[in-house]
Amino acid sequence: MRRRALLAAGAAGVAPPGVDVLVDAASLADLLARINQLFLLAPEDAAKLSTEERIAVAQALDDVGARFAGRSLSGLLVLEALKAAGARWAGARVASWVPVAGRVAAASLSYYLFHRLGTEHINECLRVRTVAALRLGRPDDF
């Protein structure tokens, strides 16, 4: 996750305005999808579950209020999350004043948001798996 966050920060620091946001959205969508796969919460993993397990996971996703877990992730969905978190607006405002300071601010903000969203997603997946396991009566195994 840190490598991806550094890539996003690098793109924000050197890429033309707008391109860095696209790089972030695509890279973050890929990272979140990989995290889903690691926790067996990717949409294609649902087909491998029994009906009881599918129901438990669906209820756990609802209970936790998961934003990204168990979903097919597109760059647009991730871009909306970045916008909601204020991903580029602060950096873009600074960039219009002082180009170098603006790029540093955009890179820092990009790294921070990328790392934060990735960490939140990992924690979200952990909560979903825990709640699903408890619903199935298997707190140690699911």
Side-chain angles (χ1 to χ4, degrees), residues 73-104:
L73 299 171
S74 68
L76 292 176
L77 178 65
V78 173
L79 189 57
E80 288 302 315
L82 287 171
K83 280 184 183 179
R88 292 287 174 256
W89 305 116
R93 287 187 190 130
V94 174
S96 65
W97 301 2
V98 183
V100 174
R103 289 191 180 269
V104 169

Side-chain angles (χ1 to χ4, degrees), residues 52-66:
E52 179 186 14
E53 290 170 334
R54 249 185 260 154
I55 291 169
V57 169
Q59 289 173 339
L61 289 167
D62 264 357
D63 290 349
V64 170

Side-chain angles (χ1 to χ4, degrees), residues 5-17 19-21 23-24 88 103 107 110:
L6 285 171
L7 173 69
V14 297
V19 173
D20 60 337
V21 175
V23 169
D24 281 359
R88 292 287 174 256
R103 289 191 180 269
S110 182

Side-chain angles (χ1 to χ4, degrees), residues 21-131:
V21 175
L22 297 176
V23 169
D24 281 359
S27 187
L28 191 55
D30 182 57
L31 176 69
L32 297 178
R34 286 178 188 230
I35 292 169
N36 275 343
Q37 289 171 344
L38 288 172
F39 284 94
L40 301 175
L41 292 172
E44 58 272 10
D45 293 322
K48 300 173 188 171
L49 299 175
S50 70
T51 303
E52 179 186 14
E53 290 170 334
R54 249 185 260 154
I55 291 169
V57 169
Q59 289 173 339
L61 289 167
D62 264 357
D63 290 349
V64 170
R67 289 192 309 180
F68 300 117
R71 291 189 179 192
S72 291
L73 299 171
S74 68
L76 292 176
L77 178 65
V78 173
L79 189 57
E80 288 302 315
L82 287 171
K83 280 184 183 179
R88 292 287 174 256
W89 305 116
R93 287 187 190 130
V94 174
S96 65
W97 301 2
V98 183
V100 174
R103 289 191 180 269
V104 169
S108 298
L109 184 60
S110 182
Y111 179 88
Y112 168 76
L113 288 170
F114 202 96
H115 192 271
R116 185 176 137 221
L117 285 173
T119 301
E120 284 178 6
H121 184 55
I122 290 170
N123 291 333
E124 177 181 89
C125 288
L126 282 170
R127 286 191 310 271
V128 168
R129 295 287 298 188
T130 301
V131 170

